[in-house]
Amino acid sequence: MNHIRTASAPHLAAMLAGLTLPMAAAPALADFIEDSHAKIELRNHYLNRDFRQSNAPQAKADEWAQGFTTKIESGFTEGTVGFGVDAMGQLGIKLDSSRDRRGTGLLPYGRNSLEPDDDYSELGLTAKLRASKSVLRLGTLQPLLPVVVYNDTRLLASTFQGGLLTSQELDGLTFNGGRLTKTNLRDSSSRDDIGYGAATSDAFDFAGGSWAINPQLALSYYYGKLEDIYRQQFVGLVHTWPLAEGLSLRSDIRYFDSREDGAERAGRIDNRNFNGMFTLGVGAHKFSTNFQQQSGDSAFPFLNGGDPYVVNLVTYNTFTRAGLDSWQVRYDYDFAALGVPGLSFMTRYTDGRHAKTATVDNGREWERDTDIAYVVQSGPLKNVSLRWRNVTFRSGNGLTNAVDENRLIVGYTLALW
């Protein structure tokens, strides 16, 4: 088994030891214990990726693995400043793979041997402090913010190391700010320097927030800087318009402006990304149309270990190459309307054109996804989820990638207390 690596554990242990000294009195610990909870998430993931292009380095990637994620979250001690601690342990186990079928993102593999690891793991600790309506977290983080989104699309989720302050002191306004210094990728046991592509940085600093003007309308702004690599600004708007009983229109508009920073370790970065999603809900049906328009000479940048916060991020592709403009149509249906609660269906088609690379001037990419999911509603398997994802991806006009893919995912979450 790989060793569990916790580079910051000694520092956190010392911090937590200091924090727990004043908590000897039982009353102060009451909320710390009573508000705590723990759960274990099980995910069985099979992924088969068939490379259809003639020049592919391998014919297919085909792996099957079992993941376990345990999360323990404490409450806060009583007092003006409350203290708490969270812990997360992740373990991935190989069920089937080989060196000629590696590379699905489920399992790490040896740099020289190319053999997939039998297992891999991570332990994360987070100290937290609460004062009034503000919470500071230090340690392992999984942020979901426009400028940094952790990845949870394979066996285990990625994590970051650093600090995050979340404040809701003013009604309707949520502020987030912090610094990240390390990342743990979704298929890795190691903590690496934060970075973008092959370039690494000392830190990623970010700040911003959202303002709920009313229950239907929210505005947001964020700024992020990956030191000596890129700086990025985000402006967003989300609006929900109830049209009639069972009928609503949701608009989600996002704009990013990304430029190089400092020493430009990843080269010149020049990208503007304007994207949006419009969803019409009609009872159990949802009809969505998305657009994503990019300008500038480079691809849309986002952190290693994360995902881009764009509407045309789909199952296989991100549609964030330089110059790539894309659109999407999507349909969702909830079978509860037909008396089958727990069963849902999604299909979408995404088309991108005008991609620019060092050798291509007008590349094209398209992807078709189908997703069928069911959550068992009763009996001994209650709350077990089953999901089948089917993907077809093709590119052209100089881009030469072609993939057929299937994913089968079985999940279950068990509350420990």
Side-chain angles (χ1 to χ4, degrees):
M1 173 181 286
N2 291 340
H3 294 294
I4 297 174
R5 303 177 186 177
T6 53
S8 58
H11 300 86
L12 282 171
M15 178 191 301
L16 294 175
L19 293 178
T20 53
L21 287 175
M23 294 192 286
L29 285 169
D31 292 341
F32 179 91
I33 297 172
E34 291 178 7
D35 292 342
S36 69
H37 54 274
K39 62 182 179 180
I40 182 169
E41 301 171 359
L42 293 85
R43 181 178 298 177
N44 188 283
H45 200 137
Y46 169 74
L47 196 155
N48 177 284
R49 182 175 291 165
D50 187 2
F51 298 100
R52 309 298 293 180
Q53 69 270 29
S54 59
N55 62 344
Q58 62 187 71
K60 66 177 180 179
D62 185 276
E63 295 183 307
W64 180 31
Q66 174 67 49
F68 302 88
T69 299
T70 301
K71 295 182 179 180
I72 302 174
E73 298 182 8
S74 78
F76 290 91
T77 60
E78 296 179 0
T80 304
V81 178
F83 302 93
V85 62
D86 298 338
M88 179 176 68
Q90 298 193 102
L91 171 65
I93 299 176
K94 179 181 74 176
L95 299 179
D96 182 55
S97 182
S98 65
R99 61 179 295 167
D100 60 332
R101 293 184 285 119
R102 72 191 188 282
T104 65
L106 293 181
L107 298 165
Y109 55 86
R111 179 176 300 177
N112 297 320
S113 69
L114 303 182
E115 287 289 344
D117 292 350
D118 291 333
D119 52 68
Y120 63 110
S121 55
E122 179 196 5
L123 173 64
L125 298 174
T126 308
K128 54 188 182 181
L129 300 85
R130 183 183 67 187
S132 185
K133 296 181 181 180
S134 298
V135 177
L136 174 64
R137 291 177 170 84
L138 301 169
T140 297
L141 304 171
Q142 292 183 313
L144 282 170
L145 302 171
V147 291
V148 52
V149 180
Y150 79 95
N151 181 286
D152 192 21
T153 61
R154 292 296 192 276
L155 194 67
L156 305 179
S158 66
T159 62
F160 295 94
Q161 296 296 307
L164 169 63
L165 173 66
T166 300
S167 178
Q168 296 177 311
E169 299 294 337
L170 301 176
D171 289 343
L173 182 64
T174 300
F175 168 83
N176 291 285
R179 163 173 280 208
L180 306 176
T181 57
K182 299 286 184 180
T183 182
N184 178 264
L185 304 181
R186 64 192 181 191
D187 57 349
S188 172
S189 292
S190 64
R191 293 206 172 97
D192 304 315
D193 290 337
I194 199 127
Y196 164 56
T200 60
S201 173
D202 292 332
F204 176 73
D205 297 308
F206 60 94
S210 61
W211 176 33
I213 298 174
N214 57 50
Q216 288 77 42
L217 178 63
L219 301 176
S220 57
Y221 171 81
Y222 278 86
Y223 176 83
K225 187 178 80 167
L226 185 58
E227 187 177 339
D228 287 326
I229 298 179
Y230 73 79
R231 50 192 168 87
Q232 188 173 77
Q233 296 188 76
F234 166 83
V235 179
L237 177 151
V238 176
H239 180 256
T240 302
W241 185 14
L243 300 174
E245 184 68 28
L247 185 66
S248 65
L249 177 64
R250 186 177 188 272
S251 303
D252 186 345
I253 308 298
R254 310 170 186 181
Y255 177 75
F256 287 90
D257 186 312
S258 306
R259 316 275 178 156
E260 69 276 359
D261 179 72
E264 302 180 17
R265 295 177 184 172
R268 184 169 181 264
I269 292 177
D270 174 40
N271 181 277
R272 259 74 59 210
N273 189 320
F274 181 44
N275 62 99
M277 174 190 303
F278 302 93
T279 302
L280 179 66
V282 185
H285 307 268
K286 287 184 179 179
F287 305 89
S288 301
T289 59
N290 300 359
F291 72 90
Q292 192 165 298
Q293 185 178 44
Q294 296 191 104
S295 60
D297 297 326
S298 63
F300 177 79
F302 56 95
L303 294 179
N304 294 340
D307 276 329
Y309 185 68
V310 293
V311 298
N312 282 347
L313 167 68
V314 287
T315 305
Y316 178 79
N317 198 27
T318 64
F319 289 90
T320 53
R321 291 180 185 268
L324 186 65
D325 297 330
S326 56
W327 54 268
Q328 179 188 143
V329 289
R330 171 173 170 160
Y331 171 70
D332 294 76
Y333 184 72
D334 185 348
F335 282 85
L338 295 179
V340 190
L343 181 64
S344 61
F345 170 80
M346 182 279 294
T347 187
R348 63 190 169 199
Y349 175 80
T350 310
D351 188 287
R353 307 191 182 200
H354 315 307
K356 299 176 183 178
T357 70
T359 58
V360 173
D361 231 4
N362 188 25
R364 183 189 176 191
E365 300 176 329
W366 63 266
E367 179 172 330
R368 182 176 60 245
D369 303 322
T370 301
D371 196 306
I372 299 174
Y374 179 66
V375 179
V376 179
Q377 301 294 294
S378 60
L381 297 179
K382 183 178 180 181
N383 295 328
V384 171
S385 65
L386 304 98
R387 185 179 300 272
W388 169 51
R389 290 177 172 168
N390 176 263
V391 178
T392 301
F393 174 82
R394 297 290 186 272
S395 60
N397 293 356
L399 301 176
T400 57
N401 199 5
V403 170
D404 291 338
E405 180 179 289
N406 284 283
R407 305 184 189 188
L408 298 174
I409 307 164
V410 180
Y412 180 68
T413 299
L414 173 66
L416 301 178
W417 72 79

